[in-house]
Amino acid sequence: MARIREWVTEARCIDCGGIYKIDPYYPLKKRCKPCSKAYRKRVKRIDRVQIISFLIFPLGILMYFLWKDNKPHLAKTALEAALVPIYILSGIFLFLFLLYIIISLA
């Protein structure tokens, strides 16, 4: 008896639920072409917001309050990226303060 194999050539997109042809070069791809393009665009936008919020953290906090109702995914990203330099600076100031206290007591 012979086995009959059926080659799967179509898959369902995880974003829109539409059917698309599987690319033999990228078989693990899970999005159709329009959804892939939109996903890459969304990732680029998130990366830009993270860089701006990290470098200019007051602007990142401002972007959070401006976008928290309209664009919550970008607002959360902006706030998280803006808090990182604040944590770093507070750690540096705490270290310098403790160093000053230790030196003044000696």
Side-chain angles (χ1 to χ4, degrees):
M1 295 187 56
R3 286 190 189 179
I4 298 175
R5 285 192 170 189
E6 179 181 337
W7 296 99
V8 179
T9 59
E10 295 180 342
R12 187 170 297 277
C13 178
I14 62 172
D15 288 337
C16 67
I19 302 291
Y20 68 94
K21 294 273 186 194
I22 295 176
D23 188 7
Y25 297 109
Y26 303 104
L28 299 177
K29 190 172 95 171
K30 298 179 179 163
R31 291 180 175 83
C32 59
K33 285 186 181 182
C35 292
S36 294
K37 187 175 181 180
Y39 178 74
R40 285 193 303 270
K41 190 175 180 181
R42 187 169 49 238
V43 168
K44 274 186 182 178
R45 190 176 301 133
I46 288 173
D47 290 345
R48 289 177 187 154
V49 168
Q50 283 179 337
I51 290 170
I52 291 170
S53 297
F54 181 78
L55 295 176
I56 309 168
F57 60 90
L59 183 63
I61 294 171
L62 179 67
M63 284 191 295
Y64 169 74
F65 288 110
L66 291 176
W67 290 345
K68 70 179 179 180
D69 296 327
N70 300 339
K71 303 172 187 176
H73 61 283
L74 286 177
K76 182 180 176 185
T77 302
L79 183 65
E80 289 173 351
L83 289 178
V84 171
I86 293 173
Y87 294 149
I88 292 170
L89 289 175
S90 63
I92 291 171
F93 285 135
L94 181 64
F95 174 74
L96 292 175
F97 180 70
L98 291 175
L99 190 65
Y100 173 74
I101 289 176
I102 291 172
I103 290 174
S104 65
L105 290 177

